Amino acid sequence: MMAEKVCAESDIAVDSPMRAVVEGTAIAIVKDSAGTVHAIGDTCTHGDISLSEGFVEGDSLECWAHGSQFSLTTGKPKNFPAYEPVPVFRVEVRDGDVYVDVHDPVPVA
């Protein structure tokens, strides 16, 4: 994994998305209510809106503009108007720091 340090895990509030840019790629970092850290593409595929300004709903990140929800684990939209997935990136928490690899997105199943 060619990961880059994004932030300290303690910088991420539970269920509160945070925007980061890793090697020119905008990502939304989310710590879900179970404490798992996720990284997905930050741009809604429907409206070119920053997902990190949205809302965490269970295992989804909801776009604030039109309500599309994207799975934090697959990137697939769960409802319309979005129908294209966002990329999901591998995350590793090491020594209290969050590392994300933007070079090898998780394949959409």
Side-chain angles (χ1 to χ4, degrees):
M1 180 163 137
M2 290 189 50
E4 183 172 313
K5 180 180 171 184
V6 175
C7 62
E9 184 178 13
S10 60
D11 292 339
I12 309 166
V14 172
D15 291 341
S16 182
M18 180 177 114
R19 186 177 193 275
V21 178
V22 177
E23 296 185 27
T25 301
I27 59 175
I29 305 290
V30 176
K31 184 188 293 183
D32 65 22
S33 58
T36 303
V37 179
H38 304 271
I40 69 172
D42 187 46
T43 306
C44 177
T45 56
H46 168 254
D48 198 28
I49 303 291
S50 174
L51 290 174
S52 60
E53 296 176 17
F55 313 98
V56 177
E57 296 286 334
D59 65 346
S60 302
L61 182 53
E62 181 179 327
C63 178
W64 63 268
H66 297 109
S68 289
Q69 293 181 347
F70 296 89
S71 166
L72 292 171
T73 56
T74 67
K76 290 181 181 180
K78 294 184 165 191
N79 61 334
F80 291 111
Y83 57 90
E84 292 290 325
V86 294
V88 173
F89 303 104
R90 297 179 200 318
V91 175
E92 182 181 347
V93 179
R94 240 185 296 151
D95 298 323
D97 293 321
V98 176
Y99 293 82
V100 176
D101 183 356
V102 295
H103 298 288
D104 187 23
V106 175
V108 177

